[in-house]
Amino acid sequence: MSSAAPGMLYRPLLLSLLALLLAACTTVPEESTEPEAGGQPSWVTQPPRTGSVIYGSGGSPLGDNQAATQSRARQAATADLMTGLRVRIMAETRSEVTEANGDVSRLYAQSVTSRVDDIELDDVRLEDTWESQAGFLYVLVSLDTAQAAARLRQAYTDDLPLLSEPDAGTGPLWPEFVAWQRVMTVAGRQAARDELHQMFAGRTIDTDWASRYQALQGNWQALLDDIRLYPDMWDDTGRSNSTLLTGPWTERGLTLVDDPSAAQWTLRMATREAVQAVDNAQQVIVTLDATLIDEQDQVRWQHSSQQRGLAGSVDRARRQALERAAEAAAQAWVASLQP
């Protein structure tokens, strides 16, 4: 029982998308922001563009809490501004497709996605607000792509020292794995910055970045390829659903083996369930206890998750609950690795 560990390659920007985004940043005559008839500023329906600065507008119904209303309107305006600029590194499942074989890996998706959002929002500034007689608050926000690109270059330079590769084979595997995970988290952040910089400035952030990133990915992949994980199921439910319970781990790049003597690490899983009839359906609540043990027989991670399944039969409800519990456990493991 094995699964090839997928690489950590992000898809490059499509040239057509890049051309479209850069076109949004070209200089055009600045739109007037003088109020139109009825008092509505023109930017409510047609945000201006000027030089490297792009704009977005959005609104929210007025509420009792002015700060909350402005926050909602600003979020809508930022979403409008970012419609053509958001970096689509991850799909809705927060997965990344590898260039090598099309497998899916989700090991760093969540951290990288949140980093991209932080980078975007840091450069968005509030320009104007307007309240309509109909009870809406409208907000105009702007992004100076030239300034944003400069800040991305500085952040990229500041993080370069964090990309030093861990020493290989000098001690236990787990500390080396964790150290590499942190390096690759930084590398993912740098890749996000590079893609944003290409959108903002039309060129890569560093001419050496692509080759350096490829080398990091290759060395990280080599470490993943050396790790064998033995799934140790402690009950009949786990043993009969082993593939389902371990699926999220193979998706995250780990290779499973049937022989514990061939494994460096052991993934121990135990399940408990409670079955109850609910109306005309069957409800199964599964508790999954998971433990990761390294080659030195040290417990490196433990987690317990409880999930519910509801279906017309106990088997289908159980499967739902097991799938959700397994994914929750794998997500908790990834979260525990974040620096």
Side-chain angles (χ1 to χ4, degrees):
M1 175 171 52
S2 64
S3 174
M8 301 300 295
L9 302 177
Y10 294 98
R11 286 177 292 178
L13 292 174
L14 295 175
L15 293 179
S16 58
L17 175 61
L18 183 58
L20 175 64
L21 298 175
L22 294 177
C25 301
T26 56
T27 302
V28 297
E30 184 173 356
E31 298 283 348
S32 171
T33 57
E34 293 298 318
E36 297 177 345
Q40 176 177 294
S42 61
W43 57 256
V44 171
T45 56
Q46 189 175 6
R49 286 182 290 164
T50 173
S52 64
V53 182
I54 58 175
Y55 296 82
S57 62
S60 174
L62 288 168
D64 295 335
N65 189 321
Q66 180 71 14
T69 298
Q70 186 173 113
S71 177
R72 289 192 300 269
R74 185 168 182 172
Q75 289 174 5
T78 301
D80 177 56
L81 182 151
M82 290 297 175
T83 296
L85 291 175
R86 179 173 297 277
V87 177
R88 299 295 298 183
I89 295 178
M90 310 302 171
E92 291 182 1
T93 57
R94 290 187 172 181
S95 64
E96 57 191 10
V97 179
T98 70
E99 191 172 282
N101 56 18
D103 287 341
V104 175
S105 173
R106 289 177 284 179
L107 189 52
Y108 306 113
Q110 185 171 357
S111 64
V112 173
T113 301
S114 63
R115 294 291 187 180
V116 172
D117 289 341
D118 291 343
I119 292 168
E120 292 174 346
L121 297 177
D122 281 347
D123 293 299
V124 176
R125 54 178 293 186
L126 177 66
E127 293 288 347
D128 201 357
T129 62
W130 178 72
E131 292 185 13
S132 73
Q133 294 182 353
F136 274 76
L137 174 68
Y138 293 91
V139 163
L140 177 70
V141 297
S142 69
L143 172 69
D144 188 321
T145 56
Q147 291 183 4
R151 210 167 62 79
L152 285 168
R153 289 193 296 272
Q154 185 59 56
Y156 172 89
T157 301
D158 291 344
D159 270 1
L160 282 177
L162 302 178
L163 292 177
S164 299
E165 296 188 18
D167 294 333
T170 58
L173 185 58
W174 178 261
E176 183 182 352
F177 170 81
V178 172
W180 259 109
Q181 188 276 333
R182 291 174 178 173
V183 168
M184 293 309 295
T185 297
V186 176
R189 188 162 68 231
Q190 298 287 65
R193 287 169 175 154
D194 184 63
E195 293 213 18
L196 279 170
H197 190 273
Q198 291 185 60
M199 287 185 169
F200 293 156
R203 64 183 184 278
T204 185
I205 203 168
D206 180 354
T207 55
D208 295 330
W209 169 244
S211 59
R212 182 169 190 176
Y213 192 33
Q214 185 176 10
L216 285 170
Q217 290 172 320
N219 293 335
W220 161 244
Q221 188 66 55
L223 176 66
L224 280 182
D225 290 342
D226 287 339
I227 299 175
R228 298 293 183 270
L229 187 66
Y230 171 66
D232 184 15
M233 302 299 172
W234 277 34
D235 55 78
D236 291 339
T237 298
R239 283 186 286 271
S240 59
N241 292 276
S242 178
T243 301
L244 185 153
L245 289 174
T246 57
W249 298 78
T250 58
E251 289 175 358
R252 287 162 170 84
L254 296 176
T255 300
L256 304 182
V257 294
D258 293 319
D259 182 4
S261 65
Q264 284 80 25
W265 298 346
T266 297
L267 177 62
R268 184 172 296 158
M269 289 186 168
T271 68
R272 304 186 303 277
E273 69 176 46
V275 181
Q276 180 183 0
V278 177
D279 296 330
N280 294 323
Q282 296 293 325
Q283 174 181 272
V284 176
I285 299 176
V286 167
T287 301
L288 175 65
D289 298 320
T291 303
L292 189 65
I293 303 168
D294 71 3
E295 72 275 18
Q296 296 183 315
D297 207 29
Q298 293 188 36
V299 173
R300 293 296 187 174
W301 171 81
Q302 287 181 301
H303 179 74
S304 181
S305 60
Q306 188 175 85
Q307 299 291 328
R308 184 186 72 158
L310 186 66
S313 70
V314 171
D315 287 343
R316 287 197 296 271
R318 178 183 296 114
R319 183 176 182 84
Q320 284 182 11
L322 288 170
E323 287 178 340
R324 292 167 181 169
E327 179 61 27
Q331 289 181 3
W333 176 65
V334 172
S336 73
L337 298 171
Q338 300 307 311

